[in-house]
Amino acid sequence: MGDPSVSSVMDKQKQEKVKLVVWDLDNTIWEGVLLEDENVVLREGIIDVIRTLDERGVLQSIASKNDHQTAMEKLEEFGIHEYFLYPQIHWNSKSSSIQSIITSINIGANTVAFVDDQMFELEEVKFEHAEVRCIDAAQYLDIPHMEMMNPRFITEDSRLRRLMYKSDEIRNKAEEEFTGPKDDFLASLGMIFTISPLKGDDLQRAEELTVRTHQLNTTGYTYSYEDLEQLSQSPNHKLLITGLEDKYGAYGKIGLALLEMEEEYWTVKLLLMSCRVMSRGVGTILMNYILEQAKEAGVKIRAEFKMTDRNRMMYLTYKFGGFKEIHQEEDLVIFEHDMSYIQKIPSYVELNIINN
């Protein structure tokens, strides 16, 4: 019998698509060792691999034991430095580099792949991060053909994902350098939060959101494109999708809600928000909008919550948002809101409602 914890990790890995590929440099992205030969050349076909992943919305980064400045200059010389978010180029362990990238991007280790030519480095990362998929650099040309590297849909948000994360880097730097209260910084962003019904091209992005978002997902349910298409046409359901933009650019489609509407109350079957907007103070706007709509319609709001190993923050969002537990069965909780107090939308956000 194998170790059940290992098999469960492997099962999870089979289910999860890769969201981030972390590359080594020496004898992986280029032939040779940079510190021994400054005239290293790119491996044949590597640019096509990097571009293909980028077009699919798979993020990429670097974990390399090298001199940072020399390596970055070489990546710039090759014209590929823009593809890599939060590159970790120094002499620390590869596992610590990967942890730093995971933290910066706010992504689950089970959606990360690491490519290196050294078996020692692959083993070291595997030991520290059991969920990370480790790939021998000899297989680099096969990477775009691996099932885990192929999302079901390539949406507009997929194609722009790297640029959105690049904008996040600029925002985060601006926040670090900002002196003053957090609300003043948020006000300086000029955020516009859009809520609209789900339809058309949004269906593909909505499926992608349910598959990709785990920490800020109230039930952990995933819905297929076909499920969402059917629900979007149902008179008893309402699907809402949200977007966010600010002076640095668009965050893309970042939130989703599914309501089941009955005479006396509406039930929130799913509420999720992209982890990328956690620090922007917009997490409760969608729920408060739903509460306002329910109040106008003269109905109460209930919400399903299913505890997973990663969504405790959404449980607290409900608890602090005025919801009370009215029923629990195993890991499923039913909340209800008494509508006595609904939080106002933060003053630093402009709300844009699209009704058709």
Side-chain angles (χ1 to χ4, degrees):
M1 288 286 288
D3 180 345
S5 63
V6 171
S7 65
S8 68
V9 164
M10 289 172 70
D11 287 344
K12 270 189 179 176
Q13 288 184 344
K14 282 176 195 166
Q15 295 164 10
E16 295 284 355
K17 297 290 188 183
V18 167
K19 300 179 190 176
L20 167 70
V21 174
V22 181
W23 297 91
D24 172 44
L25 291 176
D26 292 334
N27 289 313
T28 299
I29 280 183
W30 52 60
E31 303 277 3
V33 177
L34 183 60
L35 291 182
E36 295 173 3
D37 177 11
E38 62 182 30
N39 297 313
V40 293
V41 294
L42 288 175
R43 298 187 82 170
E44 190 176 345
I46 191 72
I47 288 185
D48 290 337
V49 173
I50 290 167
R51 283 182 181 151
T52 298
L53 294 176
D54 184 65
E55 286 162 7
R56 291 176 187 171
V58 177
L59 303 173
Q60 296 172 86
S61 188
I62 300 284
S64 171
K65 289 180 179 174
N66 247 306
D67 176 72
H68 182 89
Q69 187 173 343
T70 309
M72 286 305 295
E73 285 172 359
K74 186 56 70 172
L75 288 167
E76 282 190 51
E77 182 187 317
F78 289 137
I80 57 174
H81 63 290
E82 282 294 322
Y83 287 101
F84 304 110
L85 302 165
Y86 303 102
Q88 300 297 304
I89 304 172
H90 44 59
W91 301 104
N92 298 344
S93 69
K94 298 285 180 79
S95 61
S96 66
S97 292
I98 286 173
Q99 184 56 59
S100 177
I101 296 162
I102 285 172
T103 302
S104 296
I105 294 178
N106 194 8
I107 204 167
N110 60 334
T111 62
V112 177
F114 172 55
V115 187
D116 200 298
D117 66 302
Q118 299 279 328
M119 189 52 65
F120 167 80
E121 301 290 11
L122 295 170
E123 293 288 347
E124 190 266 335
V125 167
K126 198 63 170 170
F127 182 79
E128 294 292 335
H129 303 289
E131 290 184 309
V132 169
R133 260 70 68 92
C134 289
I135 301 170
D136 190 318
Q139 295 179 270
Y140 77 98
L141 288 174
D142 298 328
I143 287 173
H145 308 294
M146 296 175 180
E147 187 189 345
M148 62 184 170
M149 301 288 178
N150 281 276
R152 186 177 177 201
F153 296 116
I154 297 172
T155 65
E156 187 63 21
D157 278 17
S158 305
R159 284 185 282 269
L160 297 173
R161 184 162 291 124
R162 169 174 54 91
L163 298 177
M164 291 177 190
Y165 275 85
K166 284 283 185 188
S167 297
D168 281 349
E169 281 191 75
I170 297 166
R171 282 186 195 96
N172 294 341
K173 195 165 187 297
E175 186 170 9
E176 283 171 23
E177 293 169 356
F178 188 87
T179 52
K182 170 88 179 239
D183 280 10
D184 288 357
F185 171 72
L186 293 174
S188 76
L189 292 174
M191 287 185 284
I192 301 172
F193 190 94
T194 301
I195 300 174
S196 59
L198 191 73
K199 59 178 195 270
D201 294 344
D202 286 337
L203 288 165
Q204 293 181 1
R205 174 57 181 151
E207 186 201 66
E208 190 180 38
L209 271 171
T210 73
V211 170
R212 290 176 67 92
T213 306
H214 303 289
Q215 287 175 300
L216 305 182
N217 184 329
T218 54
T219 57
Y221 298 153
T222 58
Y223 289 86
S224 70
Y225 177 87
E226 291 76 16
D227 293 335
L228 292 164
E229 186 174 40
Q230 199 172 351
L231 288 164
S232 71
Q233 294 167 5
S234 161
N236 301 321
H237 292 86
K238 184 179 281 194
L239 272 162
L240 299 170
I241 194 162
T242 67
L244 184 67
E245 59 184 281
D246 66 17
K247 68 180 183 181
Y248 293 105
Y251 294 74
K253 295 294 193 297
I254 46 90
L256 187 69
L258 170 61
L259 297 174
E260 187 174 77
M261 297 182 293
E262 296 175 80
E263 268 188 48
E264 291 182 25
Y265 51 83
W266 297 349
T267 302
V268 181
K269 304 288 282 185
L270 173 73
L271 178 73
L272 64 83
M273 197 64 62
S274 167
C275 302
R276 290 177 49 240
V277 298
M278 266 168 81
S279 62
R280 293 292 165 254
V282 299
T284 58
I285 293 176
L286 179 56
M287 176 49 76
N288 294 333
Y289 171 76
I290 290 167
L291 288 167
E292 291 283 5
Q293 293 295 297
K295 195 170 184 178
E296 277 184 36
V299 296
K300 287 188 174 178
I301 282 283
R302 289 184 177 176
E304 289 183 9
F305 180 85
K306 192 173 175 69
M307 186 70 80
T308 70
D309 56 355
R310 297 180 62 193
N311 69 351
R312 178 166 168 75
M313 188 172 288
M314 292 306 261
Y315 178 80
L316 296 175
T317 298
Y318 275 146
K319 293 290 276 188
F320 290 127
F323 284 85
K324 304 279 189 296
E325 290 185 32
I326 60 168
H327 180 72
Q328 179 164 6
E329 194 171 323
E330 294 181 353
D331 58 353
L332 179 69
V333 176
I334 306 296
F335 284 107
E336 187 171 282
H337 199 284
D338 65 8
M339 316 299 278
S340 60
Y341 174 71
I342 301 172
Q343 295 171 348
K344 297 294 178 201
I345 286 155
S347 59
Y348 49 74
V349 182
E350 179 185 332
L351 187 59
N352 177 30
I353 306 297
I354 297 171
N355 289 315
N356 51 24

